[in-house]
Amino acid sequence: RKEVEQDPGPFNVPEGATVAFNCTYSNSASQSFFWYRQDCRKEPKLLMSVYSSGNEDGRFTAQLNRASQYISLLIRDSKLSDSATYLCVVNFNTGGFKTIFGAGTRLFVKA
Amino acid sequence: EAGVTQSPTHLIKTRGQQATLRCSPISGHTSVYWYQQALGLGLQFLLWYDEGEERNRGNFPPRFSGRQFPNYSSELNVNALELEDSALYLCASSPDWGTGGAARTNEQFFGPGTRLTVL
């Protein structure tokens, strides 16, 4: 089982739609969590951290469920510019600090 | 504020040669991470340096090595290049991880990458 798993998609949604991605992680000692977005042939850019209480940044909402070991990202009112690959990132400190990236979920927002 | 910078942007080598990639972190950041992203694949963790020391490495052979300099910039060296080493190599930096075992959020900020092609 991969340490961090994401549905690769692609998710094809119309503008204005709400779309949600999940990411599961296997290490219960995971400490911090993030969502990054990566545009084609570009570097990943931090989208938001994920806090235990859940957090929101404009149209984006991130949530963490430690009991079930998953994090989620909800995008409301999708824009064309949201088209990208969304990467789930998990940090844990077991035998040394490690950062694990999920393989990403591809999102296409259509006009 | 200047972001993470990497050089060169592109690098073309032949099998068996050595490649050296460079990274300058954001000012004030002491941790540098290296990742490999092969075409169509996810990011694979390579190395982590903090305060000049290698803190952890991913599942890569020893011919992948690096170092961090006193100014916190870093170098990734890949010896005996193989065709499958062709990839985008990304460097990221984050603020001081700190001491005392306190958990940090460790947000990482990425450079634009070096695209290595091995012929």
Side-chain angles (χ1 to χ4, degrees):
Chain A
R1 183 185 172 188
K2 290 182 182 177
E3 291 175 293
V4 176
E5 290 199 72
Q6 294 183 251
D7 180 344
F11 285 63
N12 294 290
V13 303
E15 268 189 296
T18 295
V19 61
F21 310 134
N22 278 345
C23 166
T24 59
Y25 59 94
S26 60
N27 191 324
S28 59
S30 298
Q31 295 178 323
S32 53
F33 310 86
F34 307 90
W35 284 102
Y36 281 72
R37 70 170 278 167
Q38 186 173 25
D39 293 289
C40 191
R41 300 181 73 83
K42 298 282 191 179
E43 73 274 20
K45 291 189 188 295
L46 178 66
L47 182 64
M48 57 197 304
S49 303
V50 187
Y51 303 122
S52 297
S53 54
N55 47 302
E56 189 174 306
D57 182 2
R59 298 181 294 107
F60 298 85
T61 300
Q63 292 194 311
L64 166 64
N65 185 317
R66 284 193 183 270
S68 300
Q69 294 184 202
Y70 75 84
I71 66 172
S72 64
L73 177 68
L74 182 78
I75 305 176
R76 289 182 300 278
D77 189 23
S78 299
K79 311 289 185 193
L80 295 175
S81 57
D82 293 334
S83 297
T85 297
Y86 290 83
L87 307 172
C88 162
V89 181
V90 176
N91 291 331
F92 57 88
N93 195 359
T94 309
F97 178 81
K98 285 177 74 173
T99 296
I100 305 295
F101 278 75
T105 298
R106 193 87 173 89
L107 171 66
F108 292 99
V109 181
K110 307 168 295 184
Chain B
E1 180 185 285
V4 177
T5 60
Q6 292 187 245
S7 64
T9 305
H10 293 88
L11 188 57
I12 299 175
K13 295 284 186 177
T14 56
R15 284 176 60 189
Q17 285 189 312
Q18 185 215 20
T20 298
L21 288 63
R22 296 180 177 84
C23 171
S24 291
I26 291 171
S27 177
H29 287 189
T30 62
S31 275
V32 171
Y33 309 80
W34 287 96
Y35 296 88
Q36 181 196 67
Q37 188 173 34
L39 190 63
L41 298 180
L43 275 76
Q44 301 297 316
F45 168 69
L46 265 165
L47 289 159
W48 169 37
Y49 293 96
D50 184 64
E51 296 287 356
E53 292 189 20
E54 182 181 302
R55 301 292 185 177
N56 207 352
R57 64 180 293 130
N59 296 324
F60 282 84
R63 58 190 186 82
F64 287 83
S65 65
R67 53 181 172 165
Q68 187 179 34
F69 300 99
N71 66 353
Y72 303 115
S73 67
S74 178
E75 195 173 87
L76 174 69
N77 295 293
V78 188
N79 294 320
L81 284 165
E82 300 178 1
L83 297 179
E84 51 266 33
D85 296 333
S86 295
L88 179 66
Y89 288 84
L90 291 158
C91 169
S93 74
S94 70
D96 179 14
W97 172 250
T99 57
R104 300 296 176 121
T105 60
N106 194 55
E107 296 173 349
Q108 296 181 26
F109 299 88
F110 283 83
T114 293
R115 191 163 296 280
L116 173 64
T117 301
V118 183
L119 302 175

